[in-house]
């Protein structure tokens, strides 16, 4: 079992996160501490834990390379049959890994991922709720088995809860380092050939705070939208059935509307072009694309006038 503990400026949360690794009931852990060029006290804390636990591996990256490449640095040197991508602002509950490994033991080798429920906490560790809750809308409910269409149409997996089979990750070549984030791309590529299974238990505490990657999604300056478009293009090459094409259309329309709302005309154009390859665009889709083109033209004209 490999735990890749990824850190970038997580000093306020880092000791609690690493202590939660030490508290795991599962005994056979290969731990990689990876710091992605933090500018706070994180490297010093990581050195302390590495010194106290000589079997742990320490990688202090000299420059910030992003989550995907930082993870791959450790993954490609690690050996565990199962792998956890552990952001060190989160917390593992003590039986997390033991329960998920046991779940894998009850599944056949076509399963590449076991994921579960998570508690949501704030910066101080106060409980905010859960990722899955009774009576949640259908689009938020977990799915198991062949979930390719599900991961195209909706975000339902709590990323920090995933335990991945090494063979699955290795078949994909690890994370795509050209992307700004990893989870949507991993779900799409993995779910095409591997089954996912949901463990109905809270195994992880996911921290919500302003510096978290997820906090920047769907803002006006969202840095991840370009990567999302690239993943949707990959998905288009992978779809095989009408149901999967319909699921991809749901995703593209969702992203198209958010890109238009954030006044991102280039991204609107790219998403509309992908949508046209999947289904016949609806009148609202065409209206959004036309409005975005007009807004871009007006912005260019205004900029030229001010010059």
């Amino acid at each position: 079992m490999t735990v890749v503990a990824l850190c970038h400026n997580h000093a306020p949360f880092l000791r609690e996160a690493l202590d939660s690794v030490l508290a795991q009931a599962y005994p056979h852990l290969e731990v990689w501490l990876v710091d992605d060029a933090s500018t706070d006290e994180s490297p010093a804390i990581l050195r302390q834990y590495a010194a106290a636990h000589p079997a742990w591996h320490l990688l202090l990256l000299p420059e910030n390379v992003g989550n995907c490449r930082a993870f791959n640095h450790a993954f490609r040197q690690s050996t565990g049959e199962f792998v956890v991508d552990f952001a060190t602002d989160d917390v593992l509950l003590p039986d997390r890994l033991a329960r998920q490994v046991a779940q894998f033991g009850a599944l056949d080798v076509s399963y590449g991922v076991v994921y579960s429920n998570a508690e949501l906490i704030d910066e101080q560790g106060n409980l905010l709720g859960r990722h899955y809750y009774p009576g949640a809308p259908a689009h938020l409910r977990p799915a198991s088995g062949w979930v390719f269409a599900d991961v195209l149409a909706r975000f339902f997996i709590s990323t920090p809860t995933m335990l991945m089979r090494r063979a699955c990750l290795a078949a994909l070549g690890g994370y795509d380092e050209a992307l700004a984030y990893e989870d949507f791309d991993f779900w799409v590529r993995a779910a095409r050939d591997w089954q996912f299974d949901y463990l109905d238990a809270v195994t992880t505490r996911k921290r919500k705070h302003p510096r978290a990657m997820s906090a920047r999604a769907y803002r006006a300056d969202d840095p991840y939208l370009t990567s999302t478009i690239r993943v949707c293009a990959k998905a288009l090459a992978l779809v095989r059935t009408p149901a999967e094409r319909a699921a991809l259309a749901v995703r593209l329309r969702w992203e198209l509307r958010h890109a238009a709302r954030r006044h991102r005309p280039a991204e609107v154009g790219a998403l509309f072009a992908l949508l046209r390859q999947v289904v016949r665009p609806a009148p609202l889709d065409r209206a959004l694309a036309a409005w975005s083109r007009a807004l871009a033209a007006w912005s260019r004209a205004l900029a030229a006038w001010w010059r």
Side-chain angles (χ1 to χ4, degrees):
M1 162 78 70
T2 295
V3 177
V4 177
L6 287 177
C7 178
H8 179 67
N9 292 337
H10 288 163
F13 320 117
L14 188 50
R15 294 185 186 278
E16 183 180 10
L18 297 181
D19 286 344
S20 78
V21 175
L22 291 169
Q24 288 302 297
Y26 190 81
H28 310 297
L29 297 183
E30 175 193 48
V31 180
W32 289 78
L33 307 177
V34 184
D35 184 76
D36 193 14
S38 292
T39 57
D40 63 5
E41 295 302 312
S42 295
I45 297 171
L46 291 169
R47 287 190 186 96
Q48 292 173 11
Y49 274 80
H53 306 283
W56 289 13
H57 306 270
L58 178 62
L59 292 176
L60 300 178
L61 302 181
E63 60 180 357
N64 185 262
V65 299
N67 187 69
C68 296
R69 185 173 298 178
F71 174 86
N72 282 347
H73 272 298
F75 169 65
R76 289 169 180 158
Q77 300 177 66
S78 66
T79 61
E81 181 183 1
F82 302 106
V83 183
V84 178
D85 177 353
F86 177 44
T88 53
D89 50 352
D90 296 328
V91 181
L92 307 178
L93 298 185
D95 62 350
R96 150 85 186 262
L97 300 181
R99 294 191 70 172
Q100 290 187 320
V101 170
Q103 187 82 352
F104 260 118
L107 302 169
D108 65 50
V109 294
S110 68
Y111 283 83
V113 177
V114 167
Y115 70 101
S116 51
N117 204 350
E119 291 180 343
L120 308 178
I121 58 175
D122 64 14
E123 289 186 270
Q124 291 73 41
N126 300 311
L127 182 65
L128 301 174
R130 290 187 176 182
H131 186 83
Y132 304 111
Y133 54 91
H139 71 278
L140 296 177
R141 294 173 190 163
S144 292
W146 297 105
V147 298
F148 181 72
D150 292 278
V151 299
L152 291 181
R154 58 196 182 95
F155 286 125
F156 62 95
I157 297 171
S158 177
T159 303
T161 72
M162 292 195 305
L163 181 63
M164 299 172 282
R165 191 185 295 274
R166 170 173 294 278
C168 173
L169 261 174
L172 302 178
Y175 291 158
D176 183 344
E177 296 180 7
L179 301 177
Y181 71 103
E182 77 293 341
D183 48 11
F184 182 36
D185 179 66
F186 170 77
W187 297 335
V188 169
R189 294 191 295 141
R192 177 72 285 170
D193 296 316
W194 299 80
Q195 295 194 75
F196 288 32
D197 195 59
Y198 174 65
L199 171 64
D200 189 11
V202 173
T203 65
T204 307
R205 307 190 84 200
K206 177 181 179 180
R207 198 178 304 270
K208 310 279 282 186
H209 60 91
R211 298 180 302 283
M213 287 182 63
S214 59
R216 300 183 65 186
Y218 296 108
R219 292 183 178 178
D221 59 346
D222 178 358
Y224 310 122
L225 180 56
T226 299
S227 291
T228 298
I229 294 169
R230 293 185 66 170
V231 177
C232 288
K234 291 185 187 184
L236 177 58
L238 294 174
V239 294
R240 298 172 182 167
T241 68
E244 291 170 358
R245 296 183 75 86
L248 180 55
V250 170
R251 167 68 57 197
L252 289 168
R253 286 185 167 120
W254 170 270
E255 300 296 346
L256 179 67
R257 283 151 180 72
H258 280 278
R261 187 176 298 122
R262 286 170 279 169
H263 306 296
R264 304 279 288 271
E267 289 82 359
V268 168
L271 288 162
F272 184 72
L274 285 172
L275 183 64
R276 290 181 65 183
Q277 297 179 63
V278 177
V279 295
R280 172 177 286 188
L284 179 58
D285 304 324
R286 296 182 183 279
L288 284 173
W291 174 81
S292 187
R293 289 193 297 270
L295 181 63
W298 180 83
S299 297
R300 290 193 298 270
L302 185 63
W305 182 82
W306 276 107
R307 286 198 300 268

